[in-house]
Amino acid sequence: MRISIFGMGYVGVVSGACLLRDGHEVVGIDPVATKVADLAQGRSPSQEAGVPELLTKGYKAGRLKAS
């Protein structure tokens, strides 16, 4: 399933990571350019345990996009 998340703060990033873990395609939308740049390269703007690894794995699988 393709899912868009508007707002990639703590809740958005953690939710996105969990959805990526479950095999979904995620597009993270945020007005903060640094968050978008991090996500577009598979880096996590949040350091919650396990989240950076899930985002990186989803990015490498081609299922994470940011705008």
Side-chain angles (χ1 to χ4, degrees):
M1 183 181 301
R2 292 182 182 156
I3 300 170
S4 297
I5 299 174
F6 292 83
M8 296 306 289
Y10 178 81
V11 173
V13 169
V14 172
S15 297
C18 292
L19 290 164
L20 286 166
R21 177 199 61 204
D22 294 342
H24 300 286
E25 293 180 30
V26 173
V27 177
I29 311 292
D30 201 280
V32 179
T34 55
K35 287 182 186 179
V36 172
D38 282 344
L39 290 167
Q41 295 180 10
R43 294 189 309 255
S44 177
S46 169
Q47 296 306 311
E48 178 68 24
V51 169
E53 294 82 7
L54 291 172
L55 289 178
T56 299
K57 187 175 178 180
Y59 170 76
K60 289 181 179 178
R63 293 184 284 110
L64 175 62
K65 308 249 185 300
S67 179

